[in-house]
Amino acid sequence: STARNNLPQPRHALTVRSQSTGVLPCAPVFLHLEARAMTSPLPPFDWDIFCTVVDNFGDIGVTWRLARQLEREGHGQVRLWVDDLASFARICPGLDPAQDGQWVEGIYIQHWHETLPADVIPAKVVIEAFACELPAPFIERMAEQSPPPCWINLEYLSAEAWVEDCHGLASPQRVGKLSLNKYFFFPGFTPRTGGLLCEQGLVAERDRWQQDEAGLAAYWASLGLPPKAQDELRISLFTYESEALKSLVASWSQGATPVTLLLPMGRALPDVLCGAGLESAIGTARAGDLLQAGQLAIKLLPMTSQAGYDRLLWSCDLNLVRGEDSFVRAQWAARPFLWHIYQQEEEAHLVKLAHFLDHYLEALPADDGQWLRELNLALNRGEDCSELWAQWPIHGTLWQQHARSWSQKLLADGDLVTRLVKFLESRI
Ligand code: TRH
């Protein structure tokens, strides 16, 4: 049987049949929502996902994406516990940070604070994201269930080789007189890891988007921009602060090629404006502004939903991304990208970057691979990137082709949800 058949199915979806034609395609959706709004006791959940927002948007970005994919792809009811709803609302415009519990896009979002809601019953699968510690009373209730839930620690993404050895390992946890297994689930780039989050149908949607000239023109118009000119580069930038940005941005403004930079408001803004010689605009810059510096136009954007951010990545010729989730989404965009990795103590992040580049550059000719490695390193070390950027015309076309084949190769062994569901099959 398939993994999907073995996992719990949504128990509250209502099925309505029309007398003449059989199943009504839309009715169940509406009734589903109404039923939720009217019934106050919560449904039994199939998945509990716990997330603490450490800083930035990566932890909530990954867990929100995982929750929606599980629900949409028919794996059951999901409850997402989040400690910081205000940060969450920045990437989820439908969320009301003042509510303790609410349904958004089919997911029950529970504000996670000191006191657990009374009578809470753990779901069949409990995921603690990135080793955020589950509340002790919740773990006790997990141990009271028969059978107890399957407990997963979803780890951070890394391309390091040790991940393959640790993926799927069980760690026995003592709860009173009982013992519960906690399993380590590691996302990754190889078949012996948990894979990467990628929704079914995403690649086809991206392809349609990228081939639709009129749609792209309408998209740019919605941002207040003309269609992309033949010789122009459109670049998105969502990184941390870096001295390297100043040199890159200066190269773009002084180069021969017109560049439009799409810049969601955030931490990189001051460095970008300094690089463009627009320091005086730092205090007043607002989303929607269009600033000009030589050959470079900078369009400032508000943060959008994750779907909106995907569309931006799909539309650009080059994306500068960061952290974990935007880094993965840039790979699904099948366009060249540079990765500004989340900084760690003792430069551990540079080791992780090198391991990723070993995989990513493996299939490229040595010259192109070396150039790309140096450019990624320069960005992450805060070094001057202008000489490296000057070689874009030599390597850009091959990089574009590589980005496409890389995204296909990554999905060959299945996405993270498919692998997670399969992993759980024998453990539920
Ligand atoms: O925000 P980040 O820097 O998150 C980081 C990393 O995940 C890091 O590994 C972790 O340790 C640290 O947080 C605590 O970068 P990341 O991972 O790319 O997450 C950004 C999220 O924001 C991602 O889900 C995409 C989303 N996003 C939007 O939804 N709309 C937007 O407009 C933009 C720019 C981003």
Side-chain angles (χ1 to χ4, degrees):
S1 65
T2 63
R4 196 164 289 194
N5 289 339
N6 279 354
L7 256 193
Q9 295 300 304
R11 281 164 281 189
H12 286 253
L14 303 176
T15 312
V16 176
R17 295 194 173 268
S18 109
Q19 287 170 345
S20 54
T21 55
V23 176
L24 291 174
C26 297
V29 177
F30 293 120
L31 287 172
H32 196 173
L33 295 176
E34 263 174 46
R36 280 175 172 172
M38 288 181 310
T39 51
S40 44
L42 290 170
F45 287 98
D46 302 298
W47 306 81
D48 270 314
I49 305 176
F50 283 81
C51 172
T52 48
V53 177
V54 177
D55 57 3
N56 303 308
F57 304 101
D59 304 291
I60 185 57
V62 169
T63 48
W64 174 227
R65 195 180 289 295
L66 170 65
R68 278 178 302 153
Q69 190 182 348
L70 287 169
E71 198 272 340
R72 276 192 199 158
E73 296 180 6
H75 300 299
Q77 297 270 25
V78 187
R79 175 169 50 192
L80 175 60
W81 302 70
V82 184
D83 65 343
D84 174 358
L85 295 181
S87 296
F88 188 6
R90 297 277 308 277
I91 61 165
C92 178
L95 184 86
D96 175 1
Q99 300 288 323
D100 197 52
Q102 61 198 298
W103 290 96
V104 181
E105 296 188 39
I107 309 300
Y108 189 75
I109 295 167
Q110 173 65 55
H111 188 198
W112 176 11
H113 39 69
E114 290 273 299
T115 350
L116 281 184
D119 303 329
V120 71
I121 300 170
K124 287 187 178 155
V125 184
V126 176
I127 299 180
E128 62 175 60
F130 314 121
C132 67
E133 268 177 43
L134 296 185
F138 192 86
I139 297 175
E140 283 157 22
R141 285 183 208 175
M142 283 165 65
E144 286 162 12
Q145 307 293 306
S146 178
C150 192
W151 186 356
I152 299 279
N153 177 17
L154 176 66
E155 277 290 351
Y156 284 112
L157 171 63
S158 170
E160 290 160 291
W162 59 263
V163 163
E164 291 191 336
D165 300 325
C166 297
H167 173 59
L169 288 186
S171 151
Q173 310 283 312
R174 295 251 19 115
V175 190
K177 290 184 182 148
L178 293 167
S179 170
L180 284 182
N181 269 336
K182 173 155 83 175
Y183 294 95
F184 289 92
F185 197 90
F186 279 88
F189 297 90
T190 62
R192 287 176 50 210
T193 65
L196 301 168
L197 278 173
C198 182
E199 302 83 358
Q200 283 174 26
L202 184 85
V203 168
E205 195 187 332
R206 174 204 71 200
D207 285 346
R208 275 196 302 278
W209 179 271
Q210 291 182 338
Q211 287 154 15
D212 179 2
E213 289 294 330
L216 279 167
Y219 173 69
W220 293 124
S222 75
L223 301 182
L225 292 171
K228 186 169 99 90
Q230 197 76 43
D231 63 337
E232 182 193 353
L233 278 180
R234 295 232 158 138
I235 302 177
S236 83
L237 192 149
F238 176 61
T239 66
Y240 308 111
E241 305 78 359
S242 169
E243 284 296 309
L245 292 179
K246 296 180 185 168
S247 61
L248 264 179
V249 171
S251 301
W252 296 334
S253 69
Q254 291 153 21
T257 305
V259 174
T260 301
L261 183 66
L262 289 306
L263 183 65
M265 296 298 287
R267 294 171 56 171
L269 181 80
D271 285 339
V272 168
L273 294 186
C274 277
L278 297 168
E279 293 88 340
S280 58
I282 291 175
T284 52
R286 294 281 171 271
D289 290 355
L290 182 62
L291 309 167
Q292 194 72 40
Q295 285 281 64
L296 174 67
I298 304 174
K299 181 72 190 177
L300 302 181
L301 302 176
M303 293 271 295
T304 64
S305 67
Q306 289 183 319
Y309 182 57
D310 274 344
R311 292 194 281 270
L312 177 66
L313 296 173
W314 298 346
S315 307
C316 287
D317 303 296
L318 168 68
N319 296 301
L320 278 72
V321 290
R322 72 188 201 190
E324 176 159 333
D325 193 54
S326 57
F327 163 59
V328 172
R329 302 315 276 188
Q331 295 173 68
W332 304 145
R335 293 278 158 89
F337 69 91
L338 294 172
W339 183 24
H340 199 191
I341 189 169
Y342 188 78
Q343 200 164 353
Q344 289 181 301
E345 280 170 19
E346 296 174 10
E347 308 223 308
H349 58 292
L350 294 182
V351 176
K352 286 187 177 174
L353 174 67
H355 281 277
F356 168 70
L357 290 173
D358 290 346
H359 287 277
Y360 183 60
L361 304 178
E362 199 183 359
L364 277 178
D367 279 5
D368 301 278
Q370 189 55 29
W371 171 73
L372 251 178
R373 187 179 288 275
E374 285 171 17
L375 190 51
N376 272 286
L377 275 174
L379 170 67
N380 280 283
R381 289 188 184 137
E383 293 168 359
D384 193 308
C385 296
S386 33
E387 280 181 24
L388 286 163
W389 177 257
Q391 294 171 47
W392 159 272
I394 304 171
H395 304 283
T397 308
L398 192 74
W399 191 4
Q400 169 56 63
Q401 289 161 9
H402 176 62
R404 223 176 161 75
S405 50
W406 172 252
S407 96
Q408 281 158 1
K409 176 174 176 278
L410 279 186
L411 283 176
D413 298 295
D415 66 289
L416 186 141
V417 162
T418 304
R419 295 192 206 190
L420 175 62
V421 168
K422 196 159 178 39
F423 178 80
L424 290 168
E425 255 178 53
S426 54
R427 293 174 179 84
I428 287 187

